Amino acid sequence: MKKALEKFAALAIAAAMTMTTACKGSGSSSEGLKVLEYGAVAVAGSSDPNDYASMYDLDLGALVYDTLYEYDYLARPFKLKPGMAEAMPKVTHNGKTYTIKLKKGIEYIDDKCFEKTGGKGREAVAGDFVYNLYRKADSLSKSQNWWLVSGQIAGLDALRDKYNGKEFNYDEKIDDLKAVDDHTIQFTLKKPFPQIMWVLAMAGMTLYPKECVDYYGEDFDNHPVGTGAFRMTEWQKNAKYTLVRNEKYREDLFPSEGTSEDKTAGRLADAGKRMPFADKVIVHEFSQSQPYWLQFRAGKSAWGRVPGEFTEEVFQIESREGNKKTWKKDAAGNRILADSYAGKYDYYPLPLLDFIYRAFNYEDEVVGGEKGKKLRQAISLTHDLNEENDLFYNGLNKVYAGIIPPGVGGFDPAVKNPYAGADLEKAKALLAEAGYPGGKGLPELQLCGGNDARTMEQAANFIRNAKRIGVKIRYEAMRFAELSAKLKQKRCQMMGLAWGGDWPDAQNFIQLAYGPNKSPGSNNANYDNPKLNKIYERSSVMPNGPERNKLYQQMNAIVIEDSAYLGAMARTRDYLIPFGTKNFKPEEMIHTHAKYIRLDKWGKK
Amino acid sequence: MTAAAPAKFVEPRYGESLFRKSARKFRRDRLGMASLSIVGVYAVIALCVKIGLFATLDAATTPVGRQHVAPGQTYQHILADKSVEERTSWFGTDIRGNDVGLKLIYSIKQAFAIGILVAFFSVLIGVVLGAISGYFGGKTDDFLLWVYTSMSSVPYILWIIAISYAFGKGFTGVVIALSSTFWVGIYFNIRAEVQRLKEMEFVLASESFGMGKMHIIFRDIMPNLTHLISIFLSLNFIAAIKNEVILSFLGLGIAGEPSWGAMISSARLDLLAGKWWEVTGATILLFILVMAFNLFTDSLQDAFDPKKVG
Amino acid sequence: MLTYIARKFLAMIPTLIGVSILVFVIFNVVGDDPVYLYLGKNATVEDVEIMRHSMGLDKPLWTQYLISMKELVTFNLGYSMSSKEKITDMFLNGAGPSIALTLPALFLYSGISIVLGLICAYWRGTWVDKMIAVLATVGMSISYVAVMIFAQYFLAFMPVEKWGVEIFPITGYENGFPDFIPYILLPNLITTFVALGYNTRFFRSIAVEEMNRDYIRTARAYGADTRTILFKHVLKNIMIPIIARVVVTLPFMITGSFLLEQFFVVPGLGYKLLHAIESADFKVVRTFTMLIAFLVVVTNSVADILNSMVDPRVKLS
């Protein structure tokens, strides 16, 4: 079997090579470099695996830093497969000890920071993984990613505390995180945490060489040294970054299995071929959606996301009734592209794992706790999320009850939120029961949120709705730094926020409602219900399965009844893919698209 | 013409008659009068909104129909009792279905409120500090001048951002941020003028009669500053409403209530998708008011100072 | 004269100290708390303490101030927290785009408005003068933000959208000559348009004042022709106030225009500064503000000196 695969791979490579030469022959290319160009709708902040803070950081990081495990590109529901690791980990000790074998011979890119070897990149070894986690635990490194591992490995937590604010001793050995040999990583969790596998697939959990961090110091961020499919050659911050193919990249073949949809879409044509296909990747970073969109329209991007304000232009509308737009759909239930787009692009709607919500500070005197429950329910009943969806999202968001978004295990479309608006009569009655008939005696409430124009309009709409039963709300528009500080210091009464999933598991969303995670943790609403906490602790050590999903649903029901969250919505991202772009399968949990994509006509530069 | 200029400072109570003379001169200025009447129309509308005659905050922020109705388009208008009737929209509706016309009118009140308050406070601070600095000189002057130079060495937009940190957002925040930045230019001019005036004979005369310092500042010097003060009031009014737009653009404007700045910064996304009416309406109304005020200020300057041409 | 210049430059020191105190108070004392932003999404109370300590935010304010001043004076600035760039590099990298975005416009609008000013001065009181004056007022009445929005829409967006022709790029910037040129055209046009009104009025007023001087009347009486009077006499004499005004404007060229850079996504100093403010990156805010203030103070002094050379009323002692 293995032999056959190898043979197949060799054939594929040969085929790919003839194809490349063919390309060279037919095109008028002067250098023959295959250039892939695309736009990013936001700006990457950091390339240092210690500091990834947004998915745009990961979009860059995952291309230059390889991971132990990676998402199977075509498989849905999501599946992980080995990347730098030889195989899936061996899990022992009741799911607590993970032993991971590294592939042999994977080398870092050449860089002048490898002083011993005269600039030649050395092999990536197990100790580098340990170093990565040590560096996250090093308080002086100010890692933004400590949360990925904090509380998981007892010895590592102890090191964090021991060297709190002091110089970290990277030579200290601990038992529950170690390099058994150069090609074996082993760590032991405090208690089982099956989601750790998703964590291991994140770019922040890569391997990178300590000597390069030491060599570059703070400048390391501008000189990523990894084992990824590409290496960075230029980074104009806030403008663009350029990557070139990493000649030393491990043998990585295009997946040969996919869904039936992948087959019809021709995404298996390159099965078994060695990746990456592009020699050079140029990513243009935008901080506004319109220029991004125009550059895509002008044919300068290998794929595009339709910004909300252009949706009406891209898709055919069947009818409008008030603010509700009904989109024309084909037999499969997909929207139909407008004529000017239909001849050029394929369309792919991607439901995001999103939690767009408003929440009440559970510790607040007025809206918080058991005491504020009726008031929260009343306010919740004034607001019609479907209307908000029609007004601000072209009716394309998915409105759902509770905190488990569609697309993860545990989501139940049948669940309804009895406090979903708008039902003003019921809201008024509940407000009176809460002790504020017609809003009398209720102080003006404060709602915190972002300061961009659209968010402010949405907030105004929400406030307007609450006013109909006499609840007065004041909006405080904030810069991001200000908002995070206010939230983490619990100084917001209500908040309008969004949470994008880190991995495709309901746990990543439910943890937002787990009491011990309250501010400055991720539980910004400071919601704390002992009943839920208990179930959460039980579910968190359980493997994926119907039993765990049942617990998830129980927790969701508790959250809905408490009405601590007002929501929620999940966005749908509309991707347009030019006909010449091959192998692109939109998914925002995956950040390595650039290595899979093949263009019919490569750009040249 | 040129000979008349210094003479006006000889008589202590010249200020009054200068004012009357200027007023007469101003009335002859047709462009000035025309612009004043435009400003007047705006002011009357602002006043009506303020006392609640029309375009109340509630009316301006209650959806009247579906979102993004274009001007001239018919739509289902929602009446107060929730029934609908077919209407033709004059100014269109915004993303939430609010009437853009009502928002525009409500914003006139906002503009005047901001303009008047900022002009008043900034001129007050500038004149008081400038007079103190110019008249007393010495350590006080040194200190105030130091604050002035430090503040004016940094782009003012940075101060506005910084001060809006300290005093929060919304209407009050905007007024404080603008007032506490705009006094700087006034201070310097008033200081120079007071320094000049205090060497004048009539002030020296008052001093030799043993008049109190406050008496001299307020009775002798201030009347001679009226022309500068009125010009600054009007200049800062303009600057305030123009800067409200910039603050909104930077996300530091008035949240929750319509204003031209909020309308422009919010609807500019819609403009690119072909919905031009909100951003255009706000731009035009703002432009007319600012232009009328600018022309009015020019005429005012001409009326006060025959030599002044710029 | 030399002592005057020396005194001018000595006087810069207290001003710069003043700026540093004001900036420190406003950003470090009442500004956003950066700790929470840089902790990421899942922090603990201990993490907050650790971060606060490692950023030196637990020290007394005056110590923080002195440390920050020491860093500034010794130019030991290190890296930006938000963008991870070396702060000195950030300033140098940002200065180029900012200058490219505004300096051509400065020359363009100065040139045009000087010509217009001279025309007005020569035909003072005629319809030409009046029309230019009114147009200048109209020009300076248009909101800057509105000009940017509509210019981008009509000159950059619509041609691409409607006809598929790119006249100007919508936004963006590229480093290096000549790649940057397309990106700076529209912003420069906008700056020129917006600044033209103000500057025409200014130059008109100084030119008129010059035209009213006795020597011009004498020259006219002797039958000197228009061109000689305008260019030989008037322009020559008003050159120094013109240069002084341009010099004063220079530091603002270096900061570029905050709004332009923000709107057109040009990574100049203004853009970087606004982003540093957004992300509570005080060190960057402080450094940039101080450097800008330094430039302003220097150029103001130069302008004062220039003006003092022509205006005998300014006391030189």
Side-chain angles (χ1 to χ4, degrees), chain B residues 63-144:
Chain B
V64 296
R66 71 168 179 84
Q67 66 177 184
H68 292 318
V69 176
Q73 217 177 354
T74 51
Y75 70 105
Q76 300 294 317
H77 182 87
I78 304 165
L79 296 164
D81 59 354
K82 304 238 167 60
S83 60
V84 289
E85 73 175 27
E86 190 144 293
R87 274 198 197 174
T88 304
S89 185
W90 283 47
F91 296 97
T93 60
D94 70 357
I95 188 170
R96 289 173 48 211
N98 298 323
D99 189 331
V100 170
L102 288 176
K103 280 174 81 178
L104 287 173
I105 292 174
Y106 183 80
S107 304
I108 295 179
K109 184 222 108 181
Q110 295 285 73
F112 268 80
I114 290 175
I116 289 172
L117 288 173
V118 171
F120 176 75
F121 285 117
S122 59
V123 169
L124 185 71
I125 302 169
V127 167
V128 168
L129 295 184
I132 291 173
S133 209
Y135 188 76
F136 291 102
K139 287 254 160 56
T140 330
D141 183 34
D142 288 345
F143 176 73
L144 288 171

Side-chain angles (χ1 to χ4, degrees), chain A residues 224-349:
Chain A
V225 181
T227 54
F230 299 94
R231 59 189 165 83
M232 184 188 274
T233 52
E234 195 202 4
W235 190 4
Q236 294 179 22
K237 298 251 161 141
N238 303 317
K240 69 168 184 182
Y241 50 85
T242 307
L243 313 171
V244 297
R245 172 213 283 273
N246 171 13
E247 302 81 1
K248 296 163 89 177
Y249 183 55
R250 68 182 157 91
E251 185 182 75
D252 188 10
L253 307 180
F254 196 93
S256 39
E257 269 171 50
T259 60
S260 57
E261 187 206 333
D262 292 325
K263 252 170 232 141
T264 43
R267 280 191 284 263
L268 283 166
D270 288 315
K273 285 181 192 160
R274 187 163 180 170
M275 301 184 296
F277 297 115
D279 296 322
K280 190 171 183 178
V281 179
I282 302 173
V283 183
H284 299 272
E285 302 184 299
F286 293 89
S287 49
Q288 293 171 343
S289 58
Q290 314 87 27
Y292 163 79
W293 178 239
L294 283 183
Q295 126 135 2
F296 168 71
R297 292 281 316 276
K300 290 181 191 160
S301 184
W303 71 79
R305 296 171 177 171
V306 183
E309 60 267 31
F310 295 103
T311 306
E312 271 182 56
E313 182 189 306
V314 177
F315 297 100
Q316 296 186 23
I317 292 185
E318 191 162 275
S319 66
R320 282 168 190 276
E321 194 187 322
N323 292 320
K324 192 169 175 50
K325 297 170 198 138
T326 309
W327 302 92
K328 227 180 232 171
K329 287 185 177 165
D330 62 12
N334 287 324
R335 274 166 282 145
I336 300 174
L337 289 175
D339 294 339
S340 51
Y341 289 85
K344 287 188 214 156
Y345 306 107
D346 281 324
Y347 149 62
Y348 190 106

Side-chain angles (χ1 to χ4, degrees), chain B residues 31 146-147 149-155 157-159 161-163 165-166 242 245-246 249-250 264 268 271-272 274 279-280 283 286-287 290-291 294-295 298 301 309-310, chain C residues 14-15 18-19 22 26-27 30-32 124 134 137-138 140-143 145-146 149-150 153 157 198 201 204-205 208 252 258-259 263 273-274 277 289 292-293 296-297:
Chain B
L31 197 59
W146 176 64
V147 174
T149 346
S150 305
M151 275 196 78
S152 55
S153 301
V154 172
I157 212 153
L158 206 65
W159 286 132
I161 295 171
I163 290 164
Y165 264 33
K242 283 178 83 174
V245 177
I246 293 174
F249 176 75
L250 293 172
I264 290 174
R268 75 188 174 92
L271 173 73
L272 295 173
V279 69
T280 312
T283 306
L286 171 72
F287 169 67
V290 171
M291 189 179 61
N294 269 329
L295 291 171
D298 283 355
Q301 280 174 335
V309 285
Chain C
T15 307
V19 173
L22 283 170
I26 280 181
F27 287 98
V30 299
D32 297 328
R124 171 101 219 264
V134 170
T137 311
V138 171
M140 61 183 248
S141 304
I142 304 176
S143 157
V145 175
I149 293 173
F150 283 103
Y153 181 68
F157 184 89
Y198 291 94
R201 285 163 60 97
R204 175 178 173 268
S205 75
V208 165
F252 297 95
F258 289 77
L259 295 180
F263 192 78
L273 187 50
L274 282 177
I277 292 174
T289 316
I292 293 164
V296 173
V297 175

Side-chain angles (χ1 to χ4, degrees), chain C residues 97-292:
Chain C
S98 292
I99 292 171
L101 218 56
T102 41
L103 196 65
L106 174 70
F107 287 117
L108 194 60
Y109 70 68
S110 297
I112 298 175
S113 45
I114 288 167
V115 172
L116 290 177
L118 288 176
I119 292 174
C120 286
Y122 193 79
W123 284 288
R124 171 101 219 264
T126 65
W127 65 271
V128 180
D129 173 36
K130 277 184 188 147
M131 209 175 71
I132 293 177
V134 170
L135 280 180
T137 311
V138 171
M140 61 183 248
S141 304
I142 304 176
S143 157
Y144 197 177
V145 175
V147 173
M148 293 192 310
I149 293 173
F150 283 103
Q152 188 194 44
Y153 181 68
F154 285 111
L155 300 177
F157 184 89
M158 227 167 70
V160 179
E161 180 75 5
K162 292 259 148 65
W163 310 295
V165 193
E166 188 180 291
I167 302 177
F168 300 111
I170 318 286
T171 58
Y173 190 77
E174 275 204 51
N175 279 328
F177 182 85
D179 296 347
F180 73 85
I181 288 175
Y183 298 95
I184 64 162
L185 297 177
L186 190 56
N188 272 299
L189 272 181
I190 292 171
T191 311
T192 307
F193 183 78
V194 171
L196 209 51
Y198 291 94
N199 281 278
T200 304
R201 285 163 60 97
F202 176 78
F203 291 131
R204 175 178 173 268
S205 75
I206 55 169
V208 165
E209 204 175 313
E210 197 63 31
M211 286 295 279
N212 284 340
R213 288 186 197 272
D214 291 339
Y215 79 93
I216 298 284
R217 278 183 221 159
T218 318
R220 272 190 178 172
Y222 277 98
D225 67 280
T226 317
R227 212 185 296 159
T228 324
I229 290 178
L230 276 184
F231 291 99
K232 203 168 160 202
H233 301 295
V234 178
L235 188 60
K236 206 176 101 192
N237 282 332
I238 64 173
M239 218 49 215
I240 287 182
I242 288 172
I243 293 171
R245 186 179 169 94
V246 171
V247 166
V248 171
T249 337
L250 277 176
F252 297 95
M253 300 290 120
I254 295 181
T255 49
S257 160
F258 289 77
L259 295 180
L260 269 182
E261 289 179 16
Q262 181 79 354
F263 192 78
F264 286 99
V265 200
V266 174
L269 291 182
Y271 181 89
K272 285 171 195 256
L273 187 50
L274 282 177
H275 277 247
I277 292 174
E278 287 278 321
S279 36
D281 196 342
F282 298 145
K283 215 196 238 180
V284 174
V285 175
R286 224 159 32 216
T287 314
F288 276 34
T289 316
M290 288 303 291
L291 288 173
I292 293 164

